Amino acid sequence: MADNANPFEVAEPLAVPDANPPGVETMPMAAVSAEAGAAPAAPPVPAPGGPEVPAVKLPEGAQPKLVVQRGLKLNVEYPIYEGHNFIGRADEKPVDIDLDDQEPPDRVWSSRQHALISFENSELLLEDLNSANGTFVNRNRVYPGQKRPLAPNDVIQVGTVQLKVKA
């Protein structure tokens, strides 16, 4: 190596495999100015919600339910009724799907009124109610104000509890 050569300079850029699955958009890295001391540009903020999910109509007369896949009491079933179904922990405000006995007392991650499932016109929609730890469907975050359609076999995560949609 020559005395004036930069030991940190890379002769050829390394090829990095795409770590994202097909269909998942990535946020471009912020460009760093060549000027000394310049701060990197702020990256763009991704749009909440991720990919659009089409609504799924359940069969006429179907009685959907949520089945606990991960929690303290596995395979417990929670029926979903026509109209609004609140998910959370019963306290001052009642909830329809009470997860109080699904999380250990020292690891409570579900909010009192965590999420809302609407069952209308044979369609299920999930909405986060500005919970502290978020609501996820199939590992994708559902943001407050976003109504995410649900389909049979979707997995909802509320706190540390995972619930599978059954129709």
Side-chain angles (χ1 to χ4, degrees), residues 16-152:
V16 178
D18 189 9
N20 293 319
V24 174
E25 294 183 21
T26 59
M27 187 170 34
M29 295 294 293
V32 179
S33 174
E35 297 177 30
V45 177
E52 287 292 318
V53 178
V56 174
K57 287 257 188 200
L58 299 178
E60 192 66 35
Q63 181 57 56
K65 59 188 171 187
L66 300 178
V67 180
V68 176
Q69 299 291 296
R70 186 172 81 184
L72 293 179
K73 297 180 179 178
L74 298 178
N75 299 317
V76 170
E77 296 181 358
Y78 298 100
I80 300 173
Y81 298 106
E82 192 75 28
H84 291 163
N85 297 265
F86 288 90
I87 303 172
R89 294 180 291 116
D91 194 23
E92 298 153 8
K93 296 180 182 178
V95 292
D96 302 291
I97 300 168
D98 187 0
L99 302 178
D100 195 38
D101 61 347
Q102 289 292 346
E103 293 183 305
D106 61 333
R107 289 194 65 211
V108 175
W109 289 69
S110 59
S111 298
R112 286 178 175 81
Q113 287 211 333
H114 195 102
L116 172 68
I117 293 181
S118 301
F119 181 34
E120 297 170 354
N121 302 321
S122 298
E123 291 180 354
L124 292 171
L125 296 173
L126 177 72
E127 181 178 355
D128 181 83
L129 297 176
N130 206 20
S131 64
N133 295 302
T135 304
F136 299 83
V137 175
N138 302 329
R139 296 183 165 204
N140 294 309
R141 185 162 192 165
V142 178
Y143 291 91
Q146 172 194 9
K147 292 186 178 183
R148 184 355 176 128
L150 295 173

